[in-house]
Amino acid sequence: MKDSFFLESNFSHSDLDRMRGLIESSSSNFVELVNLAGLNPHTDLRYLDLAGVSFDDCDIRGFDFTGTNLIGAKGNIRTLWDNSTILHEAQIDDSIFQRGDQEEGVSSVLPEGFFRQHWVDLALWLNSNSVEKFTDEYASQLVEITLKSDDQYVRKSAMETLSRNVSIETLFSIIENRFITTDDKFLAKAAFQLLGSLYADNIQETLAVATRQLRGPWAAFAAELLVQKLPYGNQLKYLIELMSRHEDILVRRSFIAKLAERQGEATELIVRNPLSGDVFDFHSFIRKTDLENLTRVVIRRRQFEKEFLENNKFGRNFYDQVYTGAVSKEFYAKNTKHLEMQIFNRLDAFNKFGLGYKLPIFATAHLEL
């Protein structure tokens, strides 16, 4: 079909290309159509009539809907919006924005009384919904239950059901944009645990999400996940260097504690100040008195392990399940000075990861143990 004289005479080639794109497009995605039309989401969506529009599968963060009619606007589990979505003077009756809870992104799909039911009833409700009937609405309900329920078992069940039935792309989006953005520490921790369970089959995606959270409110959880999952090598060295410059001391200490845990029970025991219980931060000066106090801690731990083994009526097998015996195995010296030397050597080896610990000069460094 030839272009009309009117079109040829009044529109530029770029305008015509955009019109053809819109006419030929089979997409119903709002964001894709905005892009095809060449509209600027920061300026061109103000004071429009978008009543009943569908925002299904759309990321409308940063869009400016000032004064726009959004009555009845709909969305689904993959609709992303937050405080950067401008709704000043917009009409939002009966829309996904009506509740004003912008961090959740979709309107409530469950009655208010739903969450006041006993946790057993909620669990039964979750189990009664078959996989064959899994829909976007049910997915939205699971997200809402995870965000709102007061019962941790119900939350965990909803999260697990969701993770088994949505696409991996949708699941990553929900974790990053819905669960990790919460103010609830327990939910955030569960979200990072779920993220960690996805690592083996989705390495790059998992690392990308966790890395983006290193500057967020749950940076400690993100750092713990990364230090547990990254293989030894340049990536881990880069992460350690990055974490050494993190502004939050609690995040830094949490990271070091997980790194020490990865090295084993013996290292995990000696990276804490024996008096305060705090993990030695990056570039800490570990004094001779700290080593002496750590030696006492190790001696007490060895004695506890020995007594537990001797007095435990369940026998050796139960002991092995409760204690690995790593502290006694690693710090085996009989002489206190030699034991102190073993602790020093282990801290020195751990320090080679780039922690910057300043260790005292040890005059007995070459003593035979």
Side-chain angles (χ1 to χ4, degrees):
M1 176 180 174
K2 291 185 177 180
D3 296 319
S4 70
F5 177 80
F6 176 79
L7 291 178
E8 293 287 356
S9 300
N10 292 276
F11 295 94
S12 67
H13 289 297
S14 60
D15 291 333
L16 291 172
D17 288 340
R18 286 197 294 270
M19 288 178 183
R20 289 192 185 96
L22 282 171
I23 293 170
E24 295 171 1
S25 174
S26 60
S27 175
S28 60
N29 184 282
F30 179 81
V31 173
E32 290 180 6
L33 294 175
V34 166
N35 291 333
L36 283 172
L39 299 176
N40 185 336
H42 306 297
T43 59
D44 296 337
L45 301 178
R46 302 169 180 169
Y47 300 100
L48 300 180
D49 184 0
L50 297 177
V53 69
S54 171
F55 292 118
D56 285 359
D57 307 323
C58 290
D59 183 350
I60 50 175
R61 290 173 294 187
F63 280 45
D64 186 349
F65 294 112
T66 297
T68 291
N69 178 3
L70 294 169
I71 294 174
K74 298 175 176 59
N76 64 5
I77 192 77
R78 291 173 291 278
T79 302
L80 303 178
W81 64 290
D82 56 21
N83 290 325
S84 67
T85 307
I86 300 174
L87 300 169
H88 179 63
E89 296 182 351
Q91 301 171 58
I92 58 173
D93 294 343
D94 194 30
S95 74
I96 64 170
F97 311 107
Q98 187 174 26
R99 290 165 60 204
D101 191 356
Q102 294 179 325
E103 291 186 355
E104 291 192 15
V106 295
S107 61
S108 179
V109 290
L110 293 167
E112 288 298 320
F114 181 88
F115 298 97
R116 292 195 291 270
Q117 297 181 67
H118 193 276
W119 72 268
V120 174
D121 295 324
L122 295 180
L124 289 173
W125 181 89
L126 285 169
N127 292 331
S128 68
N129 287 271
S130 64
V131 174
E132 290 77 12
K133 296 180 181 178
F134 199 90
T135 62
D136 276 352
E137 182 181 15
Y138 183 40
S140 297
Q141 291 171 341
L142 292 173
V143 170
E144 192 170 9
I145 290 170
T146 306
L147 291 169
K148 286 187 166 185
S149 178
D150 294 328
D151 187 88
Q152 297 304 317
Y153 174 78
V154 172
R155 278 182 162 184
K156 184 179 179 181
S157 298
M159 189 181 288
E160 288 177 350
T161 303
L162 189 68
S163 66
R164 289 194 301 267
N165 293 287
V166 299
S167 69
I168 192 65
E169 294 80 8
T170 298
L171 184 58
F172 271 105
S173 177
I174 292 171
I175 291 172
E176 183 170 18
N177 298 296
R178 307 294 294 286
F179 294 161
I180 294 178
T181 58
T182 180
D183 293 329
D184 188 323
K185 179 179 180 179
F186 295 103
L187 177 55
K189 185 174 183 179
F192 276 101
Q193 289 172 344
L194 175 58
L195 188 64
S197 70
L198 302 173
Y199 176 81
D201 297 322
N202 307 275
I203 294 176
Q204 295 306 318
E205 296 86 347
T206 305
L207 294 181
V209 172
T211 303
R212 285 195 289 270
Q213 300 305 316
L214 287 175
R215 297 298 177 186
W218 306 119
F221 291 150
E224 290 174 5
L225 186 153
L226 288 168
V227 78
Q228 288 172 323
K229 298 298 182 181
L230 282 176
Y232 290 108
N234 290 333
Q235 282 184 304
L236 185 59
K237 288 176 63 177
Y238 174 76
L239 176 64
I240 293 170
E241 170 62 23
L242 180 66
M243 295 310 299
S244 71
R245 292 182 270 114
H246 199 284
E247 66 277 5
D248 191 331
I249 188 173
L250 296 179
V251 173
R252 297 196 302 268
R253 284 175 173 169
S254 176
F255 176 82
I256 293 171
K258 282 296 177 181
L259 182 62
E261 180 182 313
R262 184 171 174 176
Q263 292 300 294
E265 196 175 341
T267 302
E268 187 181 3
L269 181 66
I270 64 170
V271 296
R272 293 182 180 275
N273 185 307
L275 298 181
S276 67
D278 292 329
V279 173
F280 290 116
D281 193 10
F282 286 96
H283 308 297
S284 289
F285 181 74
I286 300 175
R287 300 165 298 175
K288 186 72 166 59
T289 53
D290 291 327
L291 285 174
E292 293 170 353
N293 289 328
L294 283 170
T295 302
R296 297 187 185 96
V297 170
V298 170
I299 291 172
R300 287 197 297 271
R301 176 61 176 270
R302 292 196 316 183
Q303 184 62 27
F304 180 80
E305 290 182 352
K306 181 175 180 292
E307 291 175 356
F308 185 90
L309 177 59
E310 291 174 348
N311 299 325
N312 177 36
K313 63 180 181 180
F314 295 104
R316 178 82 188 183
N317 290 337
F318 183 75
Y319 169 79
D320 286 339
Q321 292 175 17
V322 178
Y323 292 105
T324 64
V327 173
S328 297
K329 291 174 184 175
E330 292 296 331
F331 303 126
Y332 53 83
K334 300 288 193 297
N335 180 286
T336 301
K337 181 61 67 176
H338 288 176
L339 180 58
E340 192 174 315
M341 187 65 230
Q342 286 185 324
I343 295 170
F344 172 89
N345 287 337
R346 195 166 189 89
L347 277 172
D348 188 44
F350 187 56
N351 199 29
K352 288 180 171 60
F353 279 101
L355 301 170
Y357 288 165
K358 299 172 181 64
L359 298 170
I361 297 173
F362 225 97
T364 57
H366 302 292
L367 286 176
E368 292 186 10
L369 301 180

